[in-house]
Amino acid sequence: MSGHHIISLKYLLGAATALVVLTIITVGASFIEIPRPFDLIVALSLAFGKATVVAAIFMGLIWDKKINTMALLFSLLFFIIMIGITLLDTLYRDVPFWIYS
Amino acid sequence: MANQNATHGESHVAHHFVDSEQQLDSSKLGMWLFLVTEVLFFGGLFVAYIVYRAWNPELFYMSAKELSTTLGAINTVVLIGSSLTIALAVRAAQLNQRALLSRYLIVTILLACVFLVIKYFEYTSKFAVGILPGEFYTYEGIDHPGAPIFFSIYYMMTGLHGLHVIIGIGLMVYLVVKARAGTYTAAYYTPVEVTALYWHLVDLIWIFLFPLLYLIE
């Protein structure tokens, strides 16, 4: 099914509750001393978890045509390529002096 | 197989679509393709964030302490709430509940305004101590030669996000006017659906901005 799927209240309220709980966990985790880089990994994992809930339920990707999910995943793929190619340059050179001027 | 008679009965279906269902699916795919460009649009700023953070890890830890975790967390919950209310607005449209549709849209607009008001107080409290983007930065509380870098990125990312919130409010005001006029029914509510998709993306971006800008300690 696609198009006119009506998302049940149970799913919508459940998603909102899950997002608030995950936000509380995210804030709570930031107050715990987690050694680097694991603090960033924990924060980003929670953010990806929340993003998945929003995309799957609020944006209705579970019930939609799969091509919409494909579009989102391809945007992430190209985003990762953009990060990767940029870091291949910036990580292997000295920090340019002009950023401190 | 297209049911020609049924199709002709629905005035909102353009002649190049088989039926209402196909028209809605096409609109949604079009919106998703726009959202792909939005992801890459913000993606460029996230790349800037990653590059500068990799160059100055200490600076990011020092600067993020200046931001209020409480206000950031409240704004996160406000945006989650607004995502819920616009999803409920779509549901109301699908169920032909016109009064409920405009009510949910208005609540979403109000939550968006709450977000902007909190953002306004955050910005002005930073401006007051000289935390401004780029060359206008005069704050001396961060002992690092690259002190302005974090906040230039902060203002660009939250500023672009805030612009999206303002555009979202404009779109939803338009939807309320149209909903009041009775334009949207269970058979035709495409503008509500695609605006909701846009609004959820604004929420999604904030979900990443919040931990990356406020929670590095």
Side-chain angles (χ1 to χ4, degrees):
Chain A
M1 263 305 288
S2 62
H4 297 263
H5 178 87
I6 300 175
I7 306 169
S8 75
L9 280 180
K10 194 180 68 181
Y11 272 106
L12 293 179
L13 296 174
T17 312
L19 288 170
V20 172
V21 170
L22 285 170
T23 303
I24 294 168
I25 296 174
T26 308
V27 175
S30 78
F31 287 108
I32 305 168
E33 285 295 323
I34 304 170
R36 295 177 210 176
F38 299 103
D39 53 350
L40 183 63
I41 292 168
V42 168
L44 280 182
S45 307
L46 287 163
F48 270 105
K50 288 163 76 179
T52 309
V53 172
V54 172
I57 296 173
F58 280 160
M59 298 172 105
L61 282 180
I62 311 179
W63 304 281
D64 256 3
K65 287 227 159 81
K66 292 292 166 268
I67 192 165
N68 295 349
T69 310
M70 290 286 288
L72 178 62
L73 292 179
F74 267 99
S75 77
L76 294 180
L77 174 69
F78 280 93
F79 175 49
I80 290 165
I81 292 172
M82 175 157 64
I83 296 171
I85 291 177
T86 311
L87 287 180
L88 277 178
D89 176 351
T90 62
L91 284 183
Y92 298 99
R93 59 155 120 167
D94 294 333
V95 178
F97 67 89
W98 49 260
I99 69 170
Y100 297 136
S101 61
Chain B
M1 237 189 291
N3 185 334
Q4 287 298 327
N5 292 330
T7 305
H8 286 294
E10 296 176 85
S11 59
H12 65 272
V13 179
H15 72 276
H16 50 281
F17 289 111
V18 172
D19 55 21
S20 184
E21 173 109 357
Q22 190 204 19
Q23 178 166 277
L24 178 62
D25 278 339
S26 305
S27 297
K28 272 188 179 172
L29 177 58
M31 193 62 195
W32 271 104
L33 292 179
F34 171 68
L35 296 187
V36 166
T37 70
E38 288 278 86
V39 168
L40 294 174
F41 183 28
F42 277 95
L45 289 173
F46 278 103
V47 168
Y49 175 96
I50 293 165
V51 167
Y52 282 91
R53 183 165 175 179
W55 275 341
N56 311 280
E58 283 310 317
L59 168 68
F60 277 61
Y61 280 90
M62 291 155 82
S63 307
K65 285 194 175 67
E66 300 288 329
L67 295 173
S68 162
T69 304
T70 316
L71 291 181
I74 292 171
N75 259 350
T76 306
V77 175
V78 167
L79 277 193
I80 290 169
S82 73
S83 257
L84 173 65
T85 54
I86 200 157
L88 289 170
V90 171
R91 196 170 185 278
Q94 289 170 323
L95 295 172
N96 250 336
Q97 299 163 328
R98 291 189 195 175
L100 208 55
L101 165 62
S102 26
R103 240 173 279 158
Y104 278 133
L105 285 171
I106 289 167
V107 175
T108 312
I109 293 168
L110 290 177
L111 287 170
C113 292
V114 169
F115 178 89
L116 286 178
V117 168
I118 292 176
K119 208 81 215 124
Y120 167 82
F121 283 116
E122 281 192 86
Y123 273 9
T124 46
S125 74
K126 291 286 162 286
F127 293 164
V129 293
I131 296 180
L132 288 155
E135 60 180 292
F136 304 106
Y137 186 95
T138 54
Y139 184 60
E140 292 185 344
I142 299 168
D143 186 22
H144 192 286
I149 293 171
F150 175 86
F151 283 100
S152 295
I153 291 171
Y154 164 81
Y155 282 123
M156 278 305 293
M157 296 185 95
T158 58
L160 187 65
H161 179 267
L163 181 66
H164 277 77
V165 173
I166 293 168
I167 292 169
I169 291 173
L171 293 172
M172 288 185 283
V173 168
Y174 170 82
L175 288 182
V176 171
V177 173
K178 285 293 205 177
R180 288 252 167 100
T183 309
Y184 307 124
T185 62
Y188 175 74
Y189 57 93
T190 309
V192 184
E193 174 85 44
V194 295
T195 307
L197 286 177
Y198 168 86
W199 191 255
H200 293 313
L201 188 89
V202 173
D203 184 20
L204 263 185
I205 300 221
W206 183 260
I207 283 173
F208 286 96
L209 288 181
F210 174 55
L212 288 177
L213 294 172
Y214 290 76
L215 296 180
I216 29 181
E217 286 172 26

